[in-house]
């Protein structure tokens, strides 16, 4: 029994050994054939890394706000009796927007005016009497005090009436109307928002490491996806008095010209502070970059001799990148000016691939 089992095991070893041996033999022959086959040449696009002069930029995310902007609200409660504006309308400073019921105040105004007239008459009479010594000084003092009190009451009712006629505090564009005729309003109820669109403030923050690179008066440029490809110019007008101890950021503000009223308060965009210096940077197109777990790299094209022929070979080269601008990226290390890099076709490449340049541009 044991002898039969051993024979079976031996037979299996011979069979499987033959199978694996045959596969190894086939793979070896295939490898030998592949080694002697010409390597494929990959068509790629390329460009040359070169040195450029860049104005150093400071970039930040910004939010636009109105230099003058306010939510119009009543100061005194009452029913809306008249509305004198339309949503989206441009109004001048002082324009009456909404009237609130002032019937009680008008009645009080008539009463206060009558009281003031009487107080004025009594004051004149008392002054005439005191000239003939028919009235005392205390009577004159009382008449003066009463006149001044009635005059103050009249000013107070005029102030109340002015508050019931709600006016635009400055010229600008109105938003969407939030009230209707007959609606009862209380202080704080929103009537409409009023915004001045030209100019606008651009508020942004910068890390403390860039504090020495920014100052009041520097030019800025703002871009927003509301107007792709367009730039709006402005100037830095203020820097924060301190650095935020939590974020280590400093607040800054710029004023942006908006003569065509295209921008709106609340827009989100990218702001660039343009410094007045230049620096040399080595650049390549952003399209030349590839990424893996070890970082950024490019394929550098080099000429080599293989089998007596001069060929162009793409080699992976790890680089350290800097800032991006207009489709170009600055190279901090890992590349030299004049080296050619692949800009299209990298997906077909591995380190050491033969390449044929089908399109080469001088950036």
């Amino acid at each position: 029994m044991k002898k039969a089992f051993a024979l079976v095991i031996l037979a299996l070893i011979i069979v499987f050994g033959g199978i694996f041996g045959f596969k190894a033999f086939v793979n070896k022959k295939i490898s030998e054939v592949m080694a002697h086959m010409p390597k494929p040449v990959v068509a790629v696009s390329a460009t040359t890394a070169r040195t450029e002069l860049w104005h150093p930029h400071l970039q930040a995310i910004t939010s636009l706000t109105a230099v003058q902007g306010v939510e119009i609200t009543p100061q005194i409660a009452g029913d809306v009796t008249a509305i004198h504006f339309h949503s989206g309308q441009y109004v001048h400073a002082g324009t009456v927007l909404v009237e609130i019921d002032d019937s009680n105040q008008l009645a009080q105004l008539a009463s206060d005016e009558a009281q003031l007239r009487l107080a004025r008459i009594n004051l004149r009479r008392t002054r005439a009497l005191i000239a003939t010594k028919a009235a005392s000084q205390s009577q004159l003092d009382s008449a003066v005090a009463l006149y001044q009190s009635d005059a103050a009451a009249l000013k107070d009712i005029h102030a109340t009436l002015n508050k019931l006629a709600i006016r635009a505090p400055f010229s600008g564009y109105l938003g969407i109307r939030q009230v209707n005729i007959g609606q009862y309003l209380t202080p704080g109820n929103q009537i409409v928002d009023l915004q001045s669109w030209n100019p606008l403030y651009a508020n942004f923050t910068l890390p403390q490491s860039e504090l020495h690179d920014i100052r009041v008066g520097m030019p800025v440029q703002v871009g927003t996806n509301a107007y792709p490809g367009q730039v709006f110019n402005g100037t830095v007008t203020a820097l924060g008095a301190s650095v935020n101890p939590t974020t280590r950021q400093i607040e800054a503000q710029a004023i942006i010209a908006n003569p065509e009223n295209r921008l709106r308060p609340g827009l989100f965009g990218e702001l660039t502070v343009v410094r007045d210096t230049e620096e040399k940077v080595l650049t390549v197109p952003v399209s030349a970059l590839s990424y893996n777990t070890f970082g950024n790299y490019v394929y550098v094209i080099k000429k080599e001799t293989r089998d007596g022929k001069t060929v162009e070979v793409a080699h992976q080269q790890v680089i350290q990148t800097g800032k991006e601008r207009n489709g170009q990226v600055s190279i901090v290390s890992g590349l030299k000016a004049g080296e050619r890099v692949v800009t299209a076709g990298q997906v077909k490449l591995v380190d050491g691939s033969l390449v044929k340049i089908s399109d080469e541009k001088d950036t």
Side-chain angles (χ1 to χ4, degrees):
M1 187 70 178
K2 291 183 178 180
K3 186 176 180 181
F5 181 74
L7 290 174
V8 171
I9 295 298
L10 180 60
L12 290 173
I13 292 173
I14 292 171
V15 171
F16 283 106
I19 293 172
F20 288 120
F22 178 73
K23 285 188 176 182
F25 174 77
V26 170
N27 290 336
K28 181 181 178 182
K29 290 300 182 181
I30 292 174
S31 298
E32 290 176 353
V33 172
M34 293 294 292
H36 288 87
M37 288 182 64
K39 291 186 176 180
V41 179
V42 181
V44 297
S45 297
T47 192
T48 302
R50 74 171 191 179
T51 302
E52 296 182 358
L53 288 176
W54 277 12
H55 285 281
H57 288 178
L58 304 178
Q59 293 186 311
I61 301 302
T62 184
S63 177
L64 301 180
T65 60
V67 172
Q68 293 189 103
V70 68
E71 297 288 344
I72 304 296
T73 60
Q75 298 183 54
I76 299 175
D79 295 324
V80 176
T81 56
I83 297 175
H84 300 288
F85 71 92
H86 301 287
S87 298
Q89 179 182 347
Y90 179 84
V91 294
H92 294 282
T95 301
V96 176
L97 303 177
V98 168
E99 292 183 43
I100 295 178
D101 181 21
D102 58 1
S103 54
N104 292 337
Q105 286 75 18
L106 289 174
Q108 185 65 44
L109 175 64
S111 174
D112 289 346
E113 287 176 340
Q115 287 291 111
L116 183 61
R117 285 194 297 271
L118 177 61
R120 185 182 296 112
I121 292 171
N122 288 334
L123 178 58
R124 289 174 180 172
R125 183 181 297 117
T126 303
R127 282 175 174 165
L129 290 173
I130 202 169
T132 60
K133 300 186 184 296
S136 66
Q137 182 64 41
S138 63
Q139 289 176 314
L140 177 60
D141 292 341
S142 296
V144 170
L146 183 59
Y147 175 79
Q148 292 176 339
S149 175
D150 289 341
L154 188 61
K155 287 183 179 179
D156 180 68
I157 197 63
H158 276 298
T160 300
L161 286 168
N162 284 335
K163 292 177 182 178
L164 292 173
I166 301 172
R167 303 173 184 271
F170 53 85
S171 299
Y173 289 88
L174 297 171
I176 305 301
R177 176 165 63 90
Q178 304 293 324
V179 296
N180 295 296
I181 296 291
Q183 182 175 343
Y184 182 79
L185 298 181
T186 59
N189 286 153
Q190 182 179 347
I191 296 173
V192 68
D193 65 313
L194 175 64
Q195 305 286 332
S196 175
W197 293 347
N198 183 36
L200 293 174
Y201 281 136
N203 298 312
F204 60 101
T205 60
L206 291 172
Q208 65 178 22
S209 60
E210 296 181 343
L211 179 58
H212 68 286
D213 292 326
I214 186 172
R215 64 179 183 275
V216 172
M218 279 187 166
V220 300
Q221 296 176 338
V222 172
T224 173
N225 58 11
Y227 301 101
Q230 297 188 36
V231 172
F232 299 86
N233 297 310
T235 306
V236 177
T237 55
L239 298 176
S242 62
V243 175
N244 187 307
T246 302
T247 63
R248 304 303 174 188
Q249 302 265 327
I250 184 167
E251 294 183 347
Q253 189 176 75
I255 194 164
I256 307 299
N258 188 31
E260 297 180 1
N261 292 324
R262 305 186 72 187
L263 299 174
R264 297 285 190 279
L267 275 178
F268 170 86
E270 294 183 355
L271 179 142
T272 301
V273 180
V274 183
R275 295 171 59 191
D276 55 1
T277 59
E278 287 185 334
E279 62 180 11
K280 289 184 178 181
V281 293
L282 181 65
T283 68
V284 297
V286 175
S287 59
L289 300 183
S290 297
Y291 310 91
N292 59 25
T293 55
F294 300 103
N296 299 330
Y297 68 92
V298 294
Y299 280 100
V300 177
I301 300 173
K302 298 180 179 180
K303 290 186 177 182
E304 298 180 2
T305 301
R306 293 188 180 182
D307 298 328
K309 296 181 180 179
T310 300
V311 294
E312 293 183 317
V313 184
H315 291 285
Q316 286 186 4
Q317 193 154 308
V318 177
I319 58 170
Q320 182 180 352
T321 60
K323 296 181 178 180
E324 295 183 17
R325 186 179 304 174
N326 300 324
Q328 296 288 113
V329 60
S330 63
I331 305 300
V332 178
S333 64
L335 201 62
K336 297 178 181 179
E339 290 188 300
R340 294 183 300 167
V341 296
V342 176
T343 57
Q346 299 98 313
V347 69
K348 308 172 189 176
L349 300 177
V350 295
D351 189 44
S353 293
L354 297 179
V355 295
K356 177 182 179 182
I357 301 174
S358 58
D359 181 23
E360 184 165 7
K361 296 180 180 179
D362 182 8
T363 60

